[in-house]
Amino acid sequence: MYCELSDYVREHGDAFIRTHETKQEGRWVSTQRKRYRDSELSDEQIRDLESIGFVWKLKDMPPAIRWDDMYDTLVAYKNE
Protein backbone atom coordinates (compact mmCIF):
# COMPACT_ATOMS: atom_id res chain seq x y z
CA MET A 1 0.00 0.00 0.00
CA TYR A 2 2.93 2.36 0.61
CA CYS A 3 3.85 2.05 -3.08
CA GLU A 4 0.29 2.91 -4.07
CA LEU A 5 0.39 5.94 -1.78
CA SER A 6 3.69 7.00 -3.38
CA ASP A 7 2.06 6.69 -6.80
CA TYR A 8 -0.85 8.79 -5.54
CA VAL A 9 1.57 11.50 -4.40
CA ARG A 10 3.30 11.52 -7.80
CA GLU A 11 -0.07 11.82 -9.56
CA HIS A 12 -1.72 14.40 -7.26
CA GLY A 13 1.28 16.23 -5.85
CA ASP A 14 0.34 15.58 -2.21
CA ALA A 15 -0.47 12.77 0.23
CA PHE A 16 -3.92 14.10 1.11
CA ILE A 17 -6.00 11.04 0.26
CA ARG A 18 -9.49 11.96 -0.84
CA THR A 19 -11.69 9.08 0.26
CA HIS A 20 -14.10 9.50 -2.63
CA GLU A 21 -11.24 8.89 -5.07
CA THR A 22 -9.72 5.79 -3.54
CA LYS A 23 -11.41 3.95 -0.69
CA GLN A 24 -8.78 1.24 -0.24
CA GLU A 25 -5.93 3.71 0.15
CA GLY A 26 -8.13 5.91 2.34
CA ARG A 27 -8.70 3.02 4.76
CA TRP A 28 -5.01 2.20 4.75
CA VAL A 29 -4.09 5.81 5.48
CA SER A 30 -6.56 5.89 8.38
CA THR A 31 -5.02 2.71 9.75
CA GLN A 32 -1.52 4.21 9.56
CA ARG A 33 -2.70 7.26 11.51
CA LYS A 34 -4.17 5.02 14.19
CA ARG A 35 -1.02 2.87 14.32
CA TYR A 36 1.04 6.06 14.67
CA ARG A 37 -1.11 7.29 17.57
CA ASP A 38 -0.79 3.86 19.21
CA SER A 39 3.03 3.83 18.69
CA GLU A 40 2.78 0.76 16.46
CA LEU A 41 4.81 2.06 13.51
CA SER A 42 8.56 1.59 13.25
CA ASP A 43 10.83 4.61 12.90
CA GLU A 44 11.51 3.51 9.32
CA GLN A 45 7.78 3.41 8.49
CA ILE A 46 7.32 6.88 9.98
CA ARG A 47 10.29 8.24 7.99
CA ASP A 48 9.03 6.65 4.77
CA LEU A 49 5.56 8.14 5.15
CA GLU A 50 6.87 11.56 6.13
CA SER A 51 9.27 11.55 3.17
CA ILE A 52 6.29 11.63 0.78
CA GLY A 53 4.41 14.33 2.69
CA PHE A 54 2.12 12.16 4.80
CA VAL A 55 -0.07 14.18 7.20
CA TRP A 56 -0.59 12.56 10.60
CA LYS A 57 -3.45 14.77 11.79
CA LEU A 58 -6.41 15.58 9.59
CA LYS A 59 -6.63 19.02 11.14
CA ASP A 60 -3.22 19.75 9.57
CA MET A 61 -4.64 19.29 6.07
CA PRO A 62 -5.45 22.44 4.11
CA PRO A 63 -9.06 23.47 4.88
CA ALA A 64 -10.14 23.31 1.23
CA ILE A 65 -9.09 19.67 0.95
CA ARG A 66 -10.85 18.73 4.20
CA TRP A 67 -14.04 20.47 3.08
CA ASP A 68 -13.97 18.93 -0.41
CA ASP A 69 -13.32 15.48 0.99
CA MET A 70 -16.13 15.69 3.52
CA TYR A 71 -18.54 17.07 0.93
CA ASP A 72 -17.73 14.30 -1.52
CA THR A 73 -18.11 11.72 1.25
CA LEU A 74 -21.53 13.15 2.07
CA VAL A 75 -22.61 13.04 -1.60
CA ALA A 76 -21.45 9.41 -1.90
CA TYR A 77 -23.37 8.53 1.25
CA LYS A 78 -26.53 10.20 -0.05
CA ASN A 79 -26.22 8.38 -3.37
CA GLU A 80 -25.99 5.02 -1.63
Side-chain angles (χ1 to χ4, degrees):
M1 290 301 299
Y2 173 80
C3 291
E4 290 184 31
L5 180 60
S6 291
D7 292 343
Y8 183 93
V9 170
R10 277 193 293 282
E11 182 178 336
H12 296 276
D14 61 52
F16 306 130
I17 297 293
R18 287 101 173 146
T19 56
H20 66 282
E21 293 175 344
T22 172
K23 290 182 182 183
Q24 184 176 358
E25 286 90 346
R27 282 191 297 268
W28 185 81
V29 163
S30 294
T31 299
Q32 301 319 298
R33 287 189 180 111
K34 181 183 180 325
R35 292 183 66 214
Y36 178 79
R37 284 191 308 271
D38 296 342
S39 299
E40 295 176 355
L41 292 176
S42 69
D43 290 341
E44 181 180 4
Q45 290 170 319
I46 292 168
R47 275 192 308 273
D48 287 346
L49 288 168
E50 289 177 345
S51 74
I52 60 170
F54 191 83
V55 175
W56 296 111
K57 296 179 182 177
L58 294 178
K59 69 178 185 172
D60 293 337
M61 287 181 144
I65 291 175
R66 288 194 317 257
W67 193 95
D68 289 344
D69 190 43
M70 293 308 295
Y71 175 78
D72 291 334
T73 300
L74 176 62
V75 169
Y77 176 78
K78 179 186 179 295
N79 290 336
E80 285 180 15

